[in-house]
Structures are given as C-alpha cells and as structure tokens.
Amino acid sequence: MLPDLFTPSTLRALELAGIFVFAISGALLAVRKNFDVFGIAVLAEATALGGGIFRDLIIGAVPPAAFTDLGYFLTPLVATVLVFFLHPQVERIQRGVYVFDAAGLGLFCVTGTTKAYEYGLGLTSSATLGLATAVGGGVIRDVLANEIPSLLRWDRDLYAVPAIIGATIVALAIRLDALNTATSMLAAATAFGVRLLAIRYHLRAPRAWNRRSETAEEE
C-alpha cells in the first residue's frame, strides 16, 4: 500500500482546481466553435472529467468519482457559466489559464499514476494511465469539436511529454519505495515546469526524418 500523500479534503480541493481550469479550456474552444450553451457545457464537462473517467473505468473504480461526487460534476458547469457570460475577459487572461492548465496537468499525471497503482496495475501501466488521466480530457474535447487532437499535432507545444515525465517520476519513486508527499510534489512540479517551458519556447516533438509530405501546415 502507498502512503496517504494528501488528506482527502486537500486532494479533493486540488482535483477540483484542476477540473475547473480544464473545463475553462473546453468551454473556450466551444465558444470559438460557435456552440450553444449546451455544447459549451458538454465540452467543459468532457475536457475536465474525461481523463479521470477513462482511468477509473480501466482500473475498475466504478462508478467513477465524477458520478459520485456532485462537486466534480458542478465545477465544469461553473466554468461554463463564467465563459458563457465573460468569454472576452477570459480570453484576455488566456496566458494565465495556460499556467493553471499546466498545474492541472502536473497534478493529474501524479494522482492518476498513484491511483492506478493502488488498484493493482504494474508500474508501466500505472504511468500510462497517469498520462491518460492528464491528457485524456483534451483528446475527447478536440474529437467532439471536430479538431485533430492537439496531442497528435506537431505544431502544438509539448503537452503529453511533460505528463509522461511526471508519471515516470512517480513510477520510479514507487519502484524505489520513495513515494511520499515531497517526491509527488517534485513529479507534479517537474511536469508543470516542462509544460511552461514548452509554452514559453514553443518546444515541439520532432517529426519523421526525411519527411516528404506536402500536407499544408496548420497554424
């Protein structure tokens, strides 16, 4: 068994914060796509909760937390209302939203990996589900909005890589019997920092060598 790294109330508060900022990103994309209020709410909910629901279904933690804790469901609706009425103002603080989104990414890759391991998965599988927890909602968001998922696009700043790094640190800490609050926060902070560096310097994954595709590059 792993140690209790956070009190339940602290963990819930951190997860709700991550859910809120992910929901903001989903709602903003819905506004850009000219969705109605229902579409905005659906995209906000899917972005915020999709990764966690996927993880919980895979590990058998059913019903998923998103369906047993009303706060998990209501938080994206709060983000929906905020964006619906104040989206021009929210767009202006988009850089700040990116910072919080990076923080949510760091948190979810840690909690996702830890929860998967507690449910009996191996280290590699746990780290993989930690990645899925962090980025799954964004993939669902893009698919619903008829976009190529940012996770698969070379012209987007690194997103999966920071989550992979954070999840791998957690897995290594478990392997070395060194998982505690400090190492968990180190993993989350590392993922957070790498994501911010990717945003700041537009770091991107390499494409195939000797690529001859003439497909138009999207901005």
Coordinates of all heavy atoms in Angstrom, one line a residue, residues 51 54-55 58 108-109 112-113 116 121-136 163-164 167-168 171:
G51 N -10.5 12.3 -18.8 CA -9.4 11.5 -18.4 C -9.6 10.7 -17.2 O -9.2 9.5 -17.1
F54 N -12.0 7.8 -17.8 CA -11.4 6.7 -18.5 C -10.5 5.9 -17.6 O -10.5 4.7 -17.6 CB -10.5 7.4 -19.7 CG -9.7 6.3 -20.4 CD1 -10.3 5.5 -21.4 CD2 -8.3 6.2 -20.1 CE1 -9.5 4.6 -22.1 CE2 -7.6 5.3 -20.8 CZ -8.1 4.5 -21.8
R55 N -9.7 6.6 -16.8 CA -8.8 5.9 -15.8 C -9.7 5.0 -14.9 O -9.3 3.8 -14.7 CB -8.0 6.9 -15.0 CG -7.2 6.3 -13.9 CD -6.9 7.3 -12.8 NE -8.1 7.7 -12.2 CZ -8.3 9.0 -11.7 NH1 -7.3 9.9 -11.8 NH2 -9.4 9.3 -11.2
I58 N -11.0 1.9 -16.5 CA -10.0 0.9 -16.8 C -9.6 0.1 -15.5 O -9.4 -1.1 -15.6 CB -8.7 1.6 -17.4 CG1 -9.0 2.1 -18.8 CG2 -7.5 0.6 -17.5 CD1 -9.3 1.0 -19.8
F108 N -2.7 15.9 -12.2 CA -3.4 14.7 -12.7 C -2.5 13.6 -13.1 O -2.9 12.4 -13.0 CB -4.4 15.1 -13.8 CG -5.6 15.8 -13.3 CD1 -6.5 16.4 -14.2 CD2 -5.9 15.9 -11.9 CE1 -7.6 17.1 -13.8 CE2 -7.0 16.6 -11.5 CZ -7.8 17.2 -12.4
C109 N -1.3 13.9 -13.6 CA -0.4 12.8 -14.0 C 0.1 12.1 -12.8 O 0.3 10.8 -12.8 CB 0.7 13.3 -14.9 SG 2.0 14.2 -14.1
G112 N -3.2 10.3 -11.1 CA -3.6 9.2 -12.0 C -2.7 8.0 -11.9 O -3.2 6.8 -11.8
T113 N -1.4 8.2 -11.9 CA -0.5 7.1 -11.7 C -0.6 6.5 -10.4 O -0.6 5.2 -10.2 CB 1.0 7.6 -11.9 OG1 1.1 8.3 -13.1 CG2 2.0 6.5 -11.8
A116 N -3.9 4.4 -10.1 CA -3.8 3.2 -10.9 C -3.0 2.1 -10.2 O -3.3 0.9 -10.2 CB -3.2 3.5 -12.3
L121 N -2.3 -2.2 -10.7 CA -1.6 -2.2 -12.0 C -0.1 -2.1 -11.8 O 0.4 -1.7 -10.7 CB -2.1 -1.0 -12.9 CG -3.2 -1.3 -13.8 CD1 -4.5 -1.6 -13.0 CD2 -3.5 -0.1 -14.8
G122 N 0.7 -2.6 -12.8 CA 2.1 -2.5 -12.7 C 2.6 -1.1 -12.9 O 1.8 -0.2 -13.3
L123 N 3.8 -0.9 -12.8 CA 4.4 0.5 -12.8 C 4.2 1.1 -14.2 O 3.8 2.3 -14.4 CB 5.8 0.5 -12.4 CG 6.1 0.2 -11.0 CD1 7.6 0.1 -10.7 CD2 5.5 1.2 -10.0
T124 N 4.5 0.3 -15.3 CA 4.4 0.9 -16.6 C 2.9 1.2 -16.9 O 2.6 2.3 -17.5 CB 4.9 -0.1 -17.7 OG1 6.3 -0.4 -17.4 CG2 4.8 0.5 -19.1
S125 N 2.0 0.3 -16.6 CA 0.6 0.5 -16.9 C 0.1 1.7 -16.0 O -0.8 2.5 -16.5 CB -0.2 -0.7 -16.5 OG 0.2 -1.8 -17.4
S126 N 0.6 1.8 -14.8 CA 0.1 2.9 -13.9 C 0.6 4.3 -14.5 O -0.2 5.2 -14.5 CB 0.7 2.7 -12.5 OG 0.2 1.6 -11.9
A127 N 1.8 4.3 -15.0 CA 2.3 5.6 -15.6 C 1.5 5.9 -16.9 O 1.2 7.1 -17.1 CB 3.8 5.5 -15.9
T128 N 1.2 4.9 -17.6 CA 0.4 5.1 -18.8 C -1.0 5.7 -18.5 O -1.5 6.6 -19.2 CB 0.2 3.8 -19.6 OG1 1.5 3.3 -20.0 CG2 -0.6 4.0 -20.9
L129 N -1.6 5.2 -17.4 CA -2.9 5.7 -17.0 C -2.8 7.1 -16.4 O -3.7 7.9 -16.5 CB -3.6 4.7 -16.1 CG -4.4 3.6 -16.8 CD1 -5.2 2.8 -15.7 CD2 -5.4 4.2 -17.8
G130 N -1.6 7.3 -15.8 CA -1.4 8.7 -15.3 C -1.3 9.7 -16.5 O -1.9 10.8 -16.4
L131 N -0.7 9.3 -17.6 CA -0.7 10.1 -18.8 C -2.1 10.3 -19.3 O -2.5 11.4 -19.6 CB 0.2 9.5 -19.8 CG 0.1 10.0 -21.3 CD1 0.5 11.4 -21.3 CD2 0.8 9.1 -22.2
A132 N -2.9 9.2 -19.4 CA -4.2 9.3 -19.9 C -5.1 10.2 -19.0 O -6.0 10.9 -19.5 CB -4.8 7.8 -19.9
T133 N -4.9 10.1 -17.7 CA -5.7 11.0 -16.8 C -5.4 12.4 -17.1 O -6.3 13.3 -17.1 CB -5.3 10.7 -15.4 OG1 -5.5 9.3 -15.1 CG2 -6.2 11.5 -14.4
A134 N -4.2 12.8 -17.4 CA -3.8 14.1 -17.6 C -4.2 14.7 -19.0 O -4.6 15.9 -19.1 CB -2.3 14.3 -17.5
V135 N -4.2 13.9 -20.0 CA -4.4 14.4 -21.4 C -5.7 13.9 -22.0 O -6.1 14.4 -23.0 CB -3.2 14.0 -22.3 CG1 -1.9 14.6 -21.7 CG2 -3.1 12.5 -22.6
G136 N -6.3 12.9 -21.4 CA -7.5 12.2 -22.0 C -8.6 13.2 -22.3 O -9.3 13.2 -23.3
A163 N 3.6 15.3 -19.1 CA 2.8 14.4 -18.3 C 3.5 13.0 -18.2 O 3.5 12.4 -17.2 CB 1.4 14.2 -18.9
I164 N 4.1 12.6 -19.3 CA 4.9 11.4 -19.3 C 6.1 11.5 -18.3 O 6.3 10.5 -17.5 CB 5.5 11.0 -20.7 CG1 4.3 10.7 -21.7 CG2 6.5 9.9 -20.6 CD1 4.8 10.6 -23.1
A167 N 4.6 11.3 -14.7 CA 4.1 10.0 -14.4 C 5.3 9.0 -14.2 O 5.3 8.1 -13.3 CB 3.2 9.5 -15.5
T168 N 6.3 9.2 -15.0 CA 7.5 8.3 -14.9 C 8.2 8.6 -13.5 O 8.7 7.6 -12.9 CB 8.5 8.6 -16.0 OG1 7.8 8.3 -17.3 CG2 9.7 7.7 -15.9
A171 N 6.3 6.7 -11.0 CA 6.6 5.2 -11.1 C 7.9 4.9 -10.5 O 8.1 3.9 -9.8 CB 6.4 4.8 -12.5

